[in-house]
Amino acid sequence: MLEIPDYPFRAYIFDCDGTLVDSMPKHYEAWLASLKLHGAPFDFTEEFFYARAGVREQDVVMELNEQYGSAIDPDAVAESKVEMFLKIIPQMEAIKPVADFARSLEGKFPMAVASGSEEIIVRGCLAASGLLHLFPVIVTPAYVKRGKPAPDMFLLAAEKLGVDPKECLVLEDGQAGIVAAEAAGMQWAFVPRTLR
């Protein structure tokens, strides 16, 4: 069940992957294929993947390189992962309880998406799941200096929505996003993987 804090929020900011759209298993498959293509000498576990939900791909690869003493090209891995993922975007479906909540807010409150994925992926996933029209504001790491867990994307989304950060609710499935929301001074609602 989606638990929303009891507070008169004036705007809502949603993560995309794993929050609005059930895309995380497909992202994991694309990660594995891209890392294999680039000769990654380490295991990329599902546990590690979910622990980094919302973090920019290049930052994840840099962390793995540091952890394992490898030199995999972060940009090359991210680019091939995006290419692989774009091919399967038409398969994406909304996470119904969260999508229904977003639809219930349409025309009543401003809404944005703040996602660690590239904008082409975010827009594609939202379009495939019938949600793109709900979100006039989409913020990705390309628009800020620091991605999640820094608060930059959420603060920019609030600014674009014209709402004080304290009056925004963030809906997130990733720890990095929750940390970012707290750093932005925003309340948050956790979207568990079991909510489908």
Side-chain angles (χ1 to χ4, degrees), residues 29-39 76-78 80-81 84:
E29 290 173 20
W31 262 112
L32 290 175
S34 182
L35 287 168
K36 182 178 180 181
L37 177 70
H38 293 284
V77 170
S80 59
K81 182 203 168 264
M84 293 171 188

Side-chain angles (χ1 to χ4, degrees), residues 53-77:
V55 178
R56 195 175 74 110
E57 283 99 344
Q58 291 89 336
D59 294 337
V60 172
V61 176
M62 287 188 278
E63 180 183 348
L64 288 165
N65 278 338
E66 188 174 312
Q67 185 176 342
Y68 291 99
S70 52
I72 305 298
D73 181 343
D75 290 324
V77 170

